[in-house]
Amino acid sequence: SAVISQKPSRDICQRGTSLTIQCQVDSQVTMMFWYRQQPGQSLTLIATANQGSEATYESGFVIDKFPISRPNLTFSTLTVSNMSPEDSSIYLCSVDRQGAGEQFFGPGTRLTVL
Amino acid sequence: AQSVAQPEDQVNVAEGNPLTVKCTYSVSGNPYLFWYVQYPNRGLQFLLKYITGDNLVKGSYGFEAEFNKSQTSFHLKKPSALVSDSALYFCAVSLTGGGNKLTFGTGTQLKVEL
């Protein structure tokens, strides 16, 4: 498995502001993933982040709203921009460390937008 | 396209009884199948996976799952449930594994009672 940490663990933000979530992994990984889990819902993939290239976004998610950085093989950030109450969710990062298919998840960032 | 269905929002079982959490999938190719568990206020934990080989796979905490290609199912099972197994369980599928995106089911809340 991989040790993955996220910061912040939770935050309460005002409408119209932005929040940057950090994801740190204890070893180098090629691919990192960002998911959203809305209240009472399943996980939905936002984007896949590869080091040294632009993130690949899933349908319904755009770079202007969810810009992602991947400066090195152990770190990534996801920004939730111009937030609205509908952005209230848990945001999780994950890695496929061994290339064997299973992903390991960080503890999540619980975001509440007022 | 790939999709996962978990037909039961909640499963209730008495401690000591066997449990089954159902999952069916749809992919245009050979599936990689996964089960994850989410305890309250905690991140997602990997339980087990099917990639190839034996249709019965064993995972953490005494859980197992059976891959049935003809029925496109991957049900999670445990011979004897524990109260501590109470959690939210997610089935997930990817098409090729090894870093490809996971598509999650809607989750099944398992409640094990004394």
Side-chain angles (χ1 to χ4, degrees):
Chain A
S1 64
V3 177
I4 306 169
S5 61
Q6 286 186 233
K7 290 181 181 180
S9 58
R10 59 178 62 227
D11 207 341
I12 301 173
C13 300
Q14 295 298 319
R15 181 195 298 261
T17 63
S18 298
L19 176 73
T20 295
I21 301 167
Q22 300 178 8
C23 179
Q24 180 76 52
V25 190
D26 67 338
S27 61
Q28 295 182 342
V29 293
T30 303
M31 299 182 79
M32 296 179 74
F33 305 85
W34 286 97
Y35 290 83
R36 179 174 74 182
Q37 186 178 19
Q38 294 179 301
Q41 303 292 319
S42 184
L43 283 80
T44 302
L45 181 65
I46 298 171
T48 302
N50 292 333
Q51 193 268 335
S53 64
E54 292 271 340
T56 302
Y57 289 83
E58 296 299 304
S59 175
F61 298 97
V62 295
I63 188 171
D64 290 345
K65 176 67 175 177
F66 297 101
I68 288 171
S69 77
R70 183 81 201 275
N72 57 53
L73 291 173
T74 63
F75 187 78
S76 178
T77 67
L78 169 76
T79 298
V80 186
S81 303
N82 189 24
M83 289 183 285
S84 67
E86 292 71 34
D87 294 319
S88 297
S89 295
I90 299 174
Y91 292 86
L92 302 103
C93 67
S94 72
V95 304
D96 179 0
R97 179 177 177 179
Q98 300 169 317
E102 68 265 33
Q103 293 178 18
F104 296 96
F105 286 79
T109 295
R110 184 179 294 270
L111 171 63
T112 302
V113 184
L114 302 178
Chain B
Q2 55 200 48
S3 65
V4 175
Q6 293 181 244
E8 302 155 318
D9 291 336
Q10 181 161 322
V11 170
N12 297 321
V13 64
E15 188 175 52
N17 284 359
L19 70 86
T20 299
V21 183
K22 296 179 180 178
C23 171
T24 58
Y25 66 90
S26 174
V27 295
S28 54
N30 292 322
Y32 287 23
L33 294 157
F34 309 87
W35 276 101
Y36 287 84
V37 59
Q38 188 175 40
Y39 296 99
N41 299 315
R42 292 170 65 178
L44 226 58
Q45 294 181 34
F46 169 73
L47 271 182
L48 52 78
K49 69 178 179 182
Y50 171 83
I51 301 293
T52 186
D54 195 348
N55 289 344
L56 183 65
V57 294
K58 295 184 183 297
S60 307
Y61 312 121
F63 283 94
E64 57 189 30
E66 186 167 12
F67 171 65
N68 187 316
K69 188 173 183 178
S70 63
Q71 297 185 3
T72 62
S73 67
F74 189 58
H75 300 332
L76 181 70
K77 300 181 180 183
K78 188 174 182 182
S80 179
L82 299 172
V83 172
S84 58
D85 293 329
S86 298
L88 185 58
Y89 291 81
F90 289 99
C91 182
V93 65
S94 70
L95 187 53
T96 61
N100 251 12
K101 66 177 185 178
L102 291 177
T103 298
F104 283 85
T106 51
T108 298
Q109 185 70 48
L110 173 66
K111 188 174 183 181
V112 182
E113 299 169 310
L114 291 170

